[in-house]
């Protein structure tokens, strides 16, 4: 009986030829055909080549590119850091916590010399170093550019607030749509000079870096005179063709793509001894034949094959940048034209799908806003109706019950009011939420008529909406019970304090002093409810003999990507 379970066939391995491009295959064939003549000529001319010099004015473009990559990485990281600072709640609310945060960040890296934030007048009010506090940057060009409307700038080499020289990367800060200062990162000039020195390879030559105003940032050289290298580098920087030569040195401006920076490579001019005519003819004849063949193949492949693929590539890049147009394929081979048609059809389908997704997203946002608006309004209407009924009733028991119901509903309604925009469940301000909540609870529970004094102390820290709602329900339960037991007593005081702990969490104490818990009676605390809400806050409630409730909230868990 034949074996039904046949082993899965292995995928065929691609040969080296399959992995090569069309040009590489054709060029390789030409080189193999001309190789015997080249080898014979090389053997005959070995003695002549041994006495030839090795230099042909080799510039240190690789060194400049390595330095530019290091510079670009540092500047991109600085832009990201400045952008992160511009949206950080700690930096936006400048103060002692802001300076501590920036001071903790600065020792973790070796590139930046300072991190700071200014107010709208250019005065530093938050910095990684106490020596920066109070210094004014209003007269600097980069600050004026940000104040004039730019979002982010990168300065040239400029004096920094500590008296040194640096390149400043800064981001404008906004508050309610208006300019509110800048957040900036400074990269010292000395770091650029050290980076050029580290990336200088072996051999004679130099690499020189300039900012967009032509100011020298850093330079390094080996076996050549640095003053002479700088002279030639400055000449190349201003030359129309980007090159200069003199004093045995040649310089060339290198295009690296780093925004606002320019690099110049300097190398000794090469000298080559004359090769004998016979050796030259023996070696150059097959080389020239191979070179002409390669040029012919290059032209043919480019003209009739590759140029169509290049157009497809350019169309794909344009599509990625959002500016796609069908590539001109008139005269292309039918196979390539069919490929272009398939690509164009795929782009059309992708755009249609993108439009559908955009429409669905807009509709979803609209529904979310409408739902949020309706829930918030319904809660407000319900609270208003209960308040109206509370004022109209003459029964103290009913009035107190309606007030307690309003108080227990206040945390949920207030949380909806603090979410803005509604489709983004971002954190809300802990201090503002607790202060408004306790004020509403005090009013709903007739705190003034009961002779209860209210005291609230809280830190201005962000808190997740769900955590704020659970904490508000615990506060409401504590105040409802405490205010109810404070009736008829004198000297009762409602208190709520929230302080930041060393671990980054918060210690929250709440309750009504002078109104002891009466156990499980009519107005006793619902301890099971409080313990369950505390568990959802990743905390544990402690019921103190004084009638207060203490919560130790852990730090907020990190956000999941």
């Amino acid at each position: 009986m034949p074996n039904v379970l046949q082993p899965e066939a292995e995928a065929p391995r691609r040969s080296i030829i399959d992995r090569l491009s069309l040009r590489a295959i054709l060029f390789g064939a030409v080189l193999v055909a001309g190789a015997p003549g080249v080898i014979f000529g090389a053997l005959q001319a070995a003695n002549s080549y041994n006495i030839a010099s090795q230099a042909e004015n080799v510039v240190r473009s690789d060194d400049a590119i390595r330095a530019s990559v290091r510079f670009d990485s540092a500047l991109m990281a600085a832009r990201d850091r400045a952008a992160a600072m511009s949206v950080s709640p700690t930096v936006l609310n400048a103060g002692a916590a802001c300076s501590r945060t920036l001071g903790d960040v600065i020792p973790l890296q070796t590139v930046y010399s300072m991190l700071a934030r200014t107010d709208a007048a250019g005065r530093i009010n938050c910095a990684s170093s106490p020596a920066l506090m109070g210094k004014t940057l209003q007269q600097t060009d980069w600050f004026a550019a940000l104040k004039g409307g730019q979002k982010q700038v990168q300065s040239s080499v400029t004096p920094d607030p500590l008296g040194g020289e640096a390149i400043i990367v800064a981001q404008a800060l906004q508050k309610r749509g208006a300019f509110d200062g800048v957040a900036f990162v400074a990269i010292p000039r000395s770091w650029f000079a050290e980076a050029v020195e580290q990336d200088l390879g072996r051999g004679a030559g130099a690499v020189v870096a300039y900012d967009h105003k032509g100011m020298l940032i850093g330079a390094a050289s080996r076996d050549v005179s640095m003053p002479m290298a700088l002279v030639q580098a400055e000449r190349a920087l201003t030359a129309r063709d980007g090159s200069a030569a003199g004093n045995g040195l040649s310089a060339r401006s290198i295009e690296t793509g780093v925004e606002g920076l320019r690099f110049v490579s300097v190398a000794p001019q090469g000298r080559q001894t004359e090769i004998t005519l016979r050796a030259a003819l023996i070696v150059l004849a097959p080389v020239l034949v191979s070179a002409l063949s390669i040029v012919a193949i290059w032209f043919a492949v480019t003209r009739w094959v590759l140029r169509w693929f290049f157009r497809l590539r350019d169309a794909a890049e344009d599509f990625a940048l959002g500016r796609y147009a069908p590539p001109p394929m008139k005269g292309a081979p039918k196979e390539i034209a069919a490929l272009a048609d398939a690509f164009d059809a795929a782009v059309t389908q992708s755009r249609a799908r993108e439009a559908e997704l955009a429409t669905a997203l807009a509709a979803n946002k609209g529904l979310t806003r409408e739902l949020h608006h309706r829930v918030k309004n319904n809660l407000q209407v319900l609270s208003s109706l209960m308040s109206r009924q509370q004022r109209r009733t003459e029964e103290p028991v009913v009035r107190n019950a309606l007030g307690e119901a309003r108080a227990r509903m206040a945390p949920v309604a207030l949380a909806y009011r603090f979410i803005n925009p509604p489709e983004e469940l971002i954190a809300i301000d802990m201090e503002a939420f607790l202060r408004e909540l306790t004020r509403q609870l005090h009013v709903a529970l007739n705190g003034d008529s009961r002779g209860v004094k209210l005291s609230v102390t809280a830190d201005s820290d962000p808190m997740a909406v769900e955590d704020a709602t659970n904490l508000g329900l615990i506060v409401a339960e504590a105040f409802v019970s405490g205010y109810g037991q404070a009736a008829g007593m004198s000297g009762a005081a409602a208190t709520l304090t929230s302080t930041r702990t060393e671990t980054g969490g918060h210690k929250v104490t709440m309750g009504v002093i002078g109104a002891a818990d009466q156990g499980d009676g009519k107005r006793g605390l619902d301890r099971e409810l409080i313990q369950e809400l505390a568990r959802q806050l990743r905390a544990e409630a402690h019921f103190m003999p004084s009638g207060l409730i203490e919560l130790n909230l852990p730090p907020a868990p990190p956000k999941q990507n």
Side-chain angles (χ1 to χ4, degrees), residues 106-126:
I106 201 71
L108 301 180
Q109 48 72 51
T110 59
V111 179
Y112 314 142
S113 59
M114 63 188 72
L115 307 173
R117 177 222 196 275
T118 75
D119 57 21
R123 184 181 179 87
I124 296 178
N125 56 8
C126 170

Side-chain angles (χ1 to χ4, degrees), residues 215-525:
M215 296 183 63
L216 179 65
I217 298 177
S221 65
R222 179 175 288 107
D223 299 334
V224 297
S225 171
M226 178 57 77
M228 292 184 179
L230 291 177
V231 170
Q232 298 305 319
E234 291 176 359
R235 291 178 57 190
L237 194 66
T238 57
R240 179 174 299 180
D241 61 354
S243 62
N247 297 324
L249 298 175
S250 64
R252 186 176 69 182
S253 180
I254 303 299
E255 294 294 333
T256 61
V258 181
E259 181 180 356
L261 300 180
R262 298 183 65 182
F263 292 81
V264 179
S265 62
V266 183
Q269 289 179 307
R271 292 176 301 177
Q272 189 171 7
T273 60
E274 186 177 346
I275 303 175
T276 62
L277 180 60
R278 181 179 177 181
L281 293 175
I282 294 174
V283 174
L284 290 178
V287 171
L288 289 175
V289 172
S290 300
L292 291 175
S293 301
I294 289 175
V295 170
I297 294 173
W298 181 285
F299 177 80
V301 172
T302 303
R303 179 67 177 81
W304 289 300
V305 180
L306 294 183
R307 69 166 176 157
W308 307 110
F309 287 104
F310 292 157
R311 292 183 181 182
L312 286 175
R313 179 201 61 192
D314 295 339
E317 292 176 352
D318 289 342
F319 174 68
L321 297 174
R323 57 189 186 198
Y324 172 77
M329 304 299 288
K330 184 178 180 180
K334 61 179 182 180
E335 295 84 357
I336 301 178
L339 178 61
D341 292 339
F343 178 77
D344 189 61
V347 170
T348 302
Q349 294 177 1
S350 176
R351 284 180 169 178
R353 180 59 177 166
E354 183 179 354
E356 293 175 359
L357 292 176
T359 302
L361 178 60
N364 182 59
K365 286 186 176 181
L367 291 175
T368 302
R369 287 181 178 272
E370 179 65 19
L371 178 61
H372 176 274
H373 180 70
R374 288 178 180 269
V375 171
K376 182 172 65 174
N377 285 352
N378 290 341
L379 289 173
Q380 184 62 41
V381 169
L382 182 59
S383 178
S384 299
L385 291 175
M386 295 175 67
S387 176
R388 179 181 179 88
Q389 186 65 32
Q390 184 183 14
R391 291 193 303 270
R392 295 178 62 181
T393 185
E394 297 181 356
E395 293 294 333
V397 175
V398 176
R399 186 184 302 111
N400 293 337
L402 290 172
E404 292 177 3
R406 286 180 58 204
R408 289 187 168 92
M409 189 175 61
V412 179
L414 191 61
Y416 270 90
R417 202 180 92 186
F418 271 74
I419 301 174
N420 188 30
E423 67 268 16
E424 298 181 11
L425 298 179
I426 57 177
I428 62 177
D429 184 82
M430 187 176 183
E431 178 188 16
F433 175 77
L434 292 178
R435 286 189 180 278
E436 178 62 18
L437 174 62
T438 52
R439 185 193 68 79
Q440 292 188 14
L441 293 176
H442 186 76
V443 172
L445 296 172
N446 299 315
D448 292 336
S449 61
R450 291 179 173 179
V452 180
K453 295 182 179 180
L454 178 63
S455 173
V456 179
T457 303
D459 294 324
S460 181
D461 289 324
M463 190 175 192
V465 175
E466 182 179 359
D467 290 345
T469 303
N470 290 331
L471 178 60
L473 291 172
I474 295 177
V475 174
E477 178 63 26
F479 275 36
V480 166
S481 175
Y483 275 67
Q485 297 178 44
M489 298 183 179
S490 61
T495 179
L496 188 147
T497 60
S498 175
T499 56
R500 192 183 299 106
T501 62
E502 295 180 355
T503 61
H506 288 84
K507 179 180 179 181
V508 183
T509 305
M510 70 199 75
V512 180
I513 301 175
D517 185 13
Q518 300 299 322
D520 296 329
K522 182 178 180 181
R523 296 184 181 274
L525 281 173

